Amino acid sequence: MELSETEKLNFAIIRGSKAYEEWDRQQGMPNYLTIILYELLMRQKLTQKDLVSLSDLPKQSINKGIHRLLEQNYLELTIDPDDNRVKYCQLTASGKKYAKEKMASLFEIEKEVAQKMGSKKMKQLIALNEEWSDTFWKFLRKKGEK
């Protein structure tokens, strides 16, 4: 049986996601922790709400990761001076060191993949992936409104 283009894309997305899950398994890290470390290394300062929105993970999972990192002194919370209800998450100096060490092998794999594919293909992949994702969400929201 021949697969449609949509089915091939679906399987490629699932396979890519499974690769990240396997990396998490090999590192002995839950995916929520990987995502928090990744996002905070890239963006430096985010609220819990930002982390939930960026990851699409449940608030409880992000909260669990935040508390785990706080307990290990890898994360600090700062209050927004303009709104006391808003708390920002930032990695401490030891948290940045820990995150860089933990994430190094993932960053290396991603770098090697990008180099193998080349700049042109990577730009195409990013543009197409963003377009596909935005379009999918648009149709999903429409279906949810009905």
Side-chain angles (χ1 to χ4, degrees), residues 18-117:
K18 290 289 182 192
Y20 279 90
E21 288 176 21
E22 176 60 17
W23 184 87
D24 286 336
R25 190 193 66 71
Q26 289 177 8
Q27 301 304 310
M29 286 182 39
N31 72 328
Y32 61 83
L33 200 55
T34 300
I35 289 169
I36 292 170
L37 293 176
Y38 200 111
E39 290 292 350
L40 289 176
L41 277 174
M42 296 299 129
R43 302 174 200 266
Q44 270 82 62
K45 185 175 169 180
L46 294 167
T47 65
Q48 180 176 338
K49 186 176 180 181
D50 293 334
L51 287 164
V52 169
S53 177
L54 289 165
S55 68
D56 289 323
L57 289 174
K59 185 177 177 180
Q60 302 91 304
S61 296
I62 296 298
N63 192 41
K64 185 177 181 179
I66 288 170
H67 285 286
R68 184 171 165 181
L69 292 170
L70 281 168
E71 288 169 4
Q72 296 171 309
N73 295 315
Y74 291 150
L75 187 84
E76 62 186 2
L77 297 177
T78 56
I79 296 172
D80 186 325
D82 298 324
D83 187 348
N84 290 341
R85 297 170 296 170
V86 177
K87 293 180 185 172
Y88 290 101
C89 302
Q90 288 179 268
L91 295 171
T92 61
S94 61
K96 285 179 187 174
K97 183 178 184 235
Y98 169 77
K100 286 176 183 176
E101 288 171 3
K102 285 301 267 185
M103 303 301 289
S105 66
L106 178 61
F107 293 157
E108 185 60 32
I109 292 168
E110 290 175 335
K111 181 181 168 187
E112 289 172 358
V113 170
Q115 287 175 339
K116 181 165 178 34
M117 291 183 70

